[in-house]
Amino acid sequence: NTMKLTVQNIYDFYAPSQCERRLFYRFIGEKEASPGPFEQVIFRLGQRHEKNHIDSLGEYVNVSRLPSNQRPEKTKELIQSNAPIIYQGVLVAEEIINEYKVQIIGVPDILIHEDISYVIRDCKLARHADAKKHPEILIQLQVYGYLYEKNTQSKPARLEAFLGDGSIVEFPYDGGDSAMEVLKALVDIVSSHDIPYSPVGWSKCQGCGFSRICWDVAVERNDVALVYGVDQSLARVLKDEGILTIDDLLTSYDEVSLCQLKKPWGTRVRKVGNSARGILFHARAMKEKMNVLVDKVDLPDNSNLVMFDVEGLPPYLDELEKVYLWGIQVYGEKPGPFIPALSAISPDGDQKSWEDFLSNCCTIFNEYGDIPFVHWHHYEKIKVELYMERYGDSKGVAQRVLDNLVDLLPLTKKAMVLAEPSYSLKVVERCTGFKRSQNEYGAKWSMAKYIEAVETEDGNLRQDIIDQILKYNEEDLAASWAVFQWLKKQVGK
């Protein structure tokens, strides 16, 4: 008769992006696909980050070693006795929320005694904690504060997050107001008799353990949220208007009426505006299952092109925002070999791989002149600029690369309306008939495999992993070349 909510349920709702269905399915125990390599790495690194921090604080009481049914009472005893540091304590409170009797359970990472109260500190790999980028961190801490107050009848000294870069961010406790607001929303979702609505999205749903009952079903039903340009807020507005499928959208709206439709935008609302035309183009293409050429674009007319792709680690996975592989290969009338610059697993590996990359580029410029470097999206440009600032560009090779960069993604988007939900390279390459040799691949997969290679002491296993990463990068270059040739053929019609 008592509903149980944990602070983990807050994470289920908000991260990696807000999703009512993920929370609902996990709450009812729906079978979920096993976490992928990247998710497993994130979990392991998060545990390490937390363990390293608690060990740096001195002696502490580890409540997690006790049987689960004893942990709440032991935590209260430790707080009452002013224990200096409590690790993995359990705070429990009961509340009537939306007419339900709810038991709320929280496990704050660390409680640190200060004066007559405790600092509540949670360890997170993220390097930013604010309402826009990581709302779940703020809300989890507020719920911990609320639970602490319910158990002790006093307010916490502070709420803190120990972030992935080693910084500590402080948040004021708001007296439980935001905690109760979110808990009410969660109770509404998990107590629903029907599966709650949450629009699918390409980046939102990739890698989710429930994609078989969300994304696959959306594809089968021609869900309007699949249409490129229909974001989460617009999908919710359309759902409220009774627009659930692509056919519904095309029969209910034209460009003028869709342009006038208003959707939430931050704390305000805004019209769909000029996006309406593209949305309807994509909807028609998806309905007819046919890509459409809509505009001419100027593609490089060189006889040879360099395909360029980098693999990198975000800062929360490494001390630096690191590129661990710079991949280039010349295609065209006079093709060249795949030339990777891989960061060695050594203190100077990052700088050495940058220097190797510049040396490889210099060799190509010497042979081919100012040859275009074709890449997909802006990631490569950002990383070249980052490394120029980090290690310099004494011979001007990096600047020469920047001067010759050609981003194939905006050219593809301008030229073609795809009957696809995304312009990801992995999606667009399928339009060309390109096939990969590896069953598992992708940016997150590559990051996870590289970290595995760094951490293993088995030399043969490390080399096998590196070979897989190199093959993935090489096939990214081949896919980019396939898309370029396909696009050139389409534009030429």
Side-chain angles (χ1 to χ4, degrees):
N1 294 325
T2 300
M3 178 187 294
K4 290 188 177 182
L5 278 182
T6 70
V7 175
Q8 176 61 36
N9 293 136
I10 296 170
Y11 184 85
D12 295 339
F13 179 46
Y14 281 102
S17 58
Q18 184 173 320
C19 182
E20 292 85 347
R21 284 192 170 188
R22 182 175 55 243
L23 166 64
F24 181 82
Y25 285 139
R26 284 183 177 164
F27 187 83
I28 66 173
E30 178 70 39
K31 187 177 180 181
E32 184 175 2
S34 300
F38 181 76
E39 287 72 27
Q40 294 176 39
V41 164
I42 291 293
F43 179 74
R44 189 172 74 250
L45 293 180
Q47 287 185 313
R48 180 189 303 171
H49 175 63
E50 178 183 307
K51 185 67 166 57
N52 289 342
H53 184 55
I54 187 64
D55 287 345
S56 72
L57 299 179
E59 292 187 10
Y60 58 90
V61 181
N62 187 350
V63 182
S64 68
R65 293 172 178 169
L66 296 174
S68 58
N69 62 337
Q70 297 178 19
R71 292 173 67 186
E73 190 60 37
K74 182 61 177 179
T75 302
K76 291 180 72 172
E77 291 176 7
L78 290 168
I79 291 173
Q80 290 168 358
S81 63
N82 296 329
I85 300 176
I86 305 169
Y87 179 53
Q88 292 289 304
V90 177
L91 300 172
V92 178
E94 289 193 353
E95 192 71 74
I96 301 299
I97 302 177
N98 300 352
E99 300 182 354
Y100 287 89
K101 184 180 180 181
V102 182
Q103 185 183 61
I104 308 152
I105 306 166
V107 187
D109 291 335
I110 306 169
L111 297 172
I112 304 172
H113 186 255
E114 184 176 284
D115 297 329
I116 59 172
S117 188
Y118 275 83
V119 174
I120 301 175
R121 183 179 296 172
D122 232 27
C123 299
K124 302 295 183 182
L125 278 179
R127 297 202 166 202
H128 301 279
D130 55 50
K132 183 176 182 181
K133 291 186 177 180
H134 288 285
E136 74 280 3
I137 296 177
L138 279 69
I139 296 168
Q140 284 179 328
L141 283 167
Q142 292 293 344
V143 174
Y144 288 144
Y146 161 79
L147 290 173
Y148 177 86
E149 185 175 10
K150 292 284 286 187
N151 278 265
T152 66
Q153 286 71 54
S154 63
K155 298 181 186 299
R158 285 190 309 283
L159 306 177
E160 295 179 344
F162 175 69
L163 302 181
D165 61 358
S167 64
I168 295 177
V169 180
E170 179 182 336
F171 305 98
Y173 174 55
D174 65 9
D177 293 341
S178 60
M180 287 307 302
E181 182 180 346
V182 170
L183 290 170
K184 288 178 181 178
L186 298 189
V187 169
D188 270 344
I189 293 168
V190 301
S191 63
S192 173
H193 294 293
D194 299 316
I195 298 171
Y197 177 73
S198 187
V200 295
W202 178 258
S203 59
K204 172 184 175 181
C205 296
Q206 295 307 296
C208 178
F210 300 113
S211 62
R212 77 190 192 285
I213 49 177
C214 294
W215 183 267
D216 293 353
V217 171
V219 171
E220 183 180 335
R221 295 177 177 174
N222 290 318
D223 195 310
V224 69
L226 295 169
V227 177
Y228 187 81
V230 175
D231 58 23
Q232 296 284 293
S233 61
L234 178 55
R236 292 177 186 274
V237 170
L238 291 172
K239 187 257 184 185
D240 291 341
E241 295 283 328
I243 310 300
L244 302 177
T245 68
I246 293 173
D247 279 341
D248 291 341
L249 176 65
L250 291 173
T251 55
S252 301
Y253 284 96
D254 57 19
E255 185 177 340
V256 174
S257 57
L258 185 59
C259 177
Q260 297 300 315
L261 185 65
K262 294 180 180 179
K263 63 174 184 174
W265 188 59
T267 57
R268 297 177 290 169
V269 295
R270 66 183 299 181
K271 294 179 180 179
V272 173
N274 294 333
S275 301
R277 185 182 185 193
I279 289 170
L280 293 174
F281 271 153
H282 279 281
R284 292 189 193 99
M286 294 187 77
K287 179 182 179 180
E288 297 169 7
K289 296 180 171 55
M290 184 180 297
N291 301 323
V292 181
L293 177 67
V294 292
D295 201 358
K296 297 288 186 180
V297 292
D298 293 326
L299 295 172
D301 197 26
N302 299 58
S303 57
N304 293 286
L305 302 170
V306 179
M307 297 296 123
F308 176 31
D309 183 65
V310 307
E311 310 297 337
L313 295 173
Y316 62 84
L317 294 182
D318 193 81
E319 292 180 4
L320 293 172
E321 190 172 356
K322 177 179 179 179
V323 170
Y324 57 88
L325 176 57
W326 307 82
I328 55 177
Q329 185 169 0
V330 176
Y331 283 85
E333 293 180 3
K334 188 182 176 182
F338 171 52
I339 312 175
L342 182 71
S343 179
I345 302 171
S346 64
D348 64 346
D350 188 53
Q351 182 171 355
K352 181 65 166 54
S353 66
W354 168 246
E355 293 170 351
D356 289 344
F357 166 66
L358 294 183
S359 176
N360 295 339
C361 293
C362 187
T363 300
I364 288 176
F365 282 132
N366 288 340
E367 182 173 355
Y368 295 91
D370 281 317
I371 182 172
F373 276 61
V374 179
H375 61 103
W376 193 263
H377 212 0
H378 54 253
Y379 188 74
E380 283 68 24
K381 181 177 185 292
I382 291 172
K383 296 311 168 191
V384 171
E385 292 174 340
L386 172 66
Y387 273 71
M388 285 175 68
E389 182 177 348
R390 182 178 293 172
Y391 296 124
D393 180 30
S394 59
K395 297 181 180 179
V397 177
Q399 185 59 54
R400 197 172 176 185
V401 170
L402 288 177
D403 293 341
N404 285 279
L405 283 181
V406 176
D407 189 346
L408 194 54
L409 172 59
L411 294 173
T412 305
K413 292 172 71 173
K414 182 181 179 183
M416 300 293 298
V417 169
L418 299 183
E420 301 286 351
S422 169
Y423 278 85
S424 161
L425 178 61
K426 308 304 181 289
V427 172
V428 181
E429 69 188 40
R430 296 201 300 259
C431 299
T432 74
F434 182 80
K435 303 290 184 183
R436 292 179 181 257
S437 65
Q438 299 184 126
N439 292 325
E440 288 189 287
Y441 58 88
K444 288 186 174 181
W445 170 89
S446 179
M447 283 186 263
K449 299 302 285 186
Y450 180 76
I451 292 172
E452 184 182 346
V454 169
E455 295 187 343
T456 185
E457 295 181 0
D458 185 330
N460 291 330
L461 176 60
R462 176 181 293 143
Q463 189 56 54
D464 179 62
I465 294 170
I466 293 300
D467 289 343
Q468 293 177 48
I469 294 171
L470 291 172
K471 175 55 68 173
Y472 161 64
N473 186 257
E474 183 179 4
E475 292 189 345
D476 258 0
L477 301 179
S480 299
W481 173 244
V483 171
F484 177 84
Q485 289 182 300
W486 171 78
L487 186 60
K488 191 171 184 178
K489 186 181 296 185
Q490 299 299 317
V491 171
K493 288 182 179 181

